[in-house]
Amino acid sequence: MSIPTRVKLVDVGPRDGLQNEKQPVPAAIKIELVQRLQDAGLTEIEVTSFVSPKWVPQMADNAEVMAGLQRKAGVRYSVLTPNLQGFEAALKSKPDEIVVFGAASEAFSQKNINCSIAESIERFAPVVQAARAAGIYVRGAMSCTVGCPYEGEIAPERVSYLAGLMKGIGVQHVGVADTIGVGTPLKVQRAMEATLKHYDINDVSGHFHDTYGQALANTLICLQMGVWQFDTSVAGLGGCPYAKGATGNVASEDVVYLLHGMGIETGIDLDKLVDAGKFISDFLERKPNSRAATALLNKRVA
Ligand code: HMG
Ligand code: MG
């Protein structure tokens, strides 16, 4: 398999990034962040989640954020929907894509969505069916594919098992997530290979949190396997409320720098992306959690 010449990034910053923030982020700021990401050339943005506001208060403004978007042709807006209740609420916001989210670890499934893996699949099945009937693309997120905060290391067989269940209910694409960022390249490769037993290379993506600083290396090994779709988060925002200590996704800016440096096209304007990351980081009163953004911002000052 040769390295792809073009890569699609899904910026998950507005969702995965902001879901974990303690201070409230107004809907208007989230809407402006999405606007800046689409202006920077992102063609897919994970905007919000239709989950319980008691569980994740930061996403309670889901409908307001979706209603405020100035949608751009060619951009896909995705949202998380864990069950039919979430899907029905999301439908009114006309997402282009929905995401059901399961886990390769039983304990994480319980903590994150309050049910077992088998029960989660039972809940997702009618969501997938309804979404596909409505012409909405269905992605599945698979958490804890290399390690779990409660169970430790996760065997590739469990990833394969989950991918098979997702395929069985009609999920069209799956993301292989290293939720707590403990993966290293060979472990991530094995999780990806386990997924590829059930899904085509064109229907998988990588979703790597960068807790241990391994996410770029994990991205590179997936590129070498021919994977061409990745979730990244502007300014490296994020984490999961049910994965304590895990930091954000790999920064979009760092991945774009890597890809452009390798001559791989993304359609993204790195300078505008850095501006988007600076915008949200200024609001959150911190520096962007991205080495490439920091270097480029320092260079501007110099
Ligand atoms: P539950 O308590 O088992 O649900 O939660 P339930 O069906 O028993 O309902 C209980 C209450 O929740 C009811 O309200 C329902 O109306 C309400 P009450 O009568 O008590 O007032 N409810 C909902 N409200 C709004 N939207 C809904 C919904 N469903 C039920 N969709 C549930 C189950 C899944 C809802 C809950 O566990 C939940 O919301 N979990 C949040 C999980 C989450 O958002 N986690 C973070 C995202 S996943 C992630 O970050 C990982 C990822 O990035 C990949 C990776 O890195 O690994 C994707
Ligand atoms: Mg995540």
Side-chain angles (χ1 to χ4, degrees):
M1 192 47 85
S2 58
I3 290 184
T5 53
R6 190 173 175 88
V7 156
K8 183 182 91 169
L9 298 186
V10 178
D11 201 294
V12 298
R15 194 284 302 172
D16 202 332
L18 296 180
Q19 72 181 7
N20 209 33
E21 288 300 325
K22 296 283 175 286
Q23 62 162 311
V25 178
I29 297 285
K30 296 174 179 171
I31 292 163
E32 180 163 353
L33 177 61
V34 172
Q35 180 74 43
R36 284 171 175 267
L37 289 171
Q38 66 193 34
D39 289 348
L42 266 300
T43 54
E44 185 164 341
I45 303 169
E46 202 171 272
V47 179
T48 186
S49 310
F50 286 81
V51 296
S52 163
K54 287 183 190 151
W55 284 61
V56 187
Q58 195 64 264
M59 297 287 109
D61 58 3
N62 42 32
E64 189 186 348
V65 173
M66 287 297 283
L69 301 178
Q70 289 192 8
R71 296 189 189 215
K72 185 175 165 187
V75 178
R76 299 163 61 78
Y77 304 89
S78 50
V79 301
L80 268 59
T81 57
N83 53 19
L84 263 183
Q85 186 176 338
F87 175 72
E88 275 156 17
L91 203 51
K92 299 187 192 105
S93 298
K94 299 195 173 12
D96 299 295
E97 183 172 319
I98 57 132
V99 185
V100 291
F101 49 105
S105 137
E106 278 296 345
F108 189 79
S109 182
Q110 288 290 352
K111 297 273 185 192
N112 194 40
I113 50 174
N114 206 24
C115 62
S116 68
I117 296 170
E119 284 162 344
S120 75
I121 294 295
E122 275 172 38
R123 286 184 193 178
F124 300 155
V127 175
V128 176
Q129 209 178 3
R132 294 195 62 175
I136 300 172
Y137 190 80
V138 181
R139 183 152 55 90
M142 303 197 297
S143 288
C144 299
T145 60
V146 278
C148 166
Y150 312 102
E151 293 184 13
E153 207 152 309
I154 298 294
E157 292 71 33
R158 295 169 68 190
V159 180
S160 176
Y161 171 69
L162 178 63
L165 292 176
M166 291 274 194
K167 187 78 183 182
I169 58 168
V171 172
Q172 291 162 283
H173 173 118
V174 284
V176 175
D178 181 10
T179 311
I180 55 172
V182 290
T184 41
L186 294 181
K187 288 180 188 173
V188 166
Q189 180 177 356
R190 287 195 279 269
M192 192 55 85
E193 282 166 353
T195 306
L196 290 169
K197 290 190 175 143
H198 302 278
Y199 280 89
D200 187 81
I201 193 81
N202 295 312
D203 299 324
V204 296
S205 51
H207 176 112
F208 305 131
H209 286 260
D210 201 26
T211 318
Y212 285 83
Q214 304 299 302
L216 280 180
N218 294 337
T219 302
L220 181 59
I221 198 145
C222 289
L223 286 168
Q224 287 168 336
M225 295 173 75
V227 176
W228 58 273
Q229 299 174 85
F230 297 91
D231 296 347
T232 61
S233 178
V234 68
L237 296 172
C240 174
Y242 302 99
K244 290 266 172 296
T247 63
N249 295 84
V250 64
S252 306
E253 298 91 316
D254 292 350
V255 175
V256 170
Y257 183 84
L258 169 82
L259 295 170
H260 289 182
M262 291 175 73
I264 299 171
E265 282 176 43
T266 64
I268 295 168
D269 179 327
L270 181 53
D271 277 316
K272 286 189 178 169
L273 183 62
V274 167
D275 290 338
K278 173 104 173 56
F279 162 77
I280 191 65
S281 302
D282 283 349
F283 175 81
L284 296 169
E285 298 180 324
R286 68 173 76 124
K287 299 247 183 279
N289 191 13
S290 156
R291 301 286 277 266
T294 303
L296 289 167
L297 287 167
N298 287 342
K299 207 168 158 188
R300 283 184 195 174
V301 175

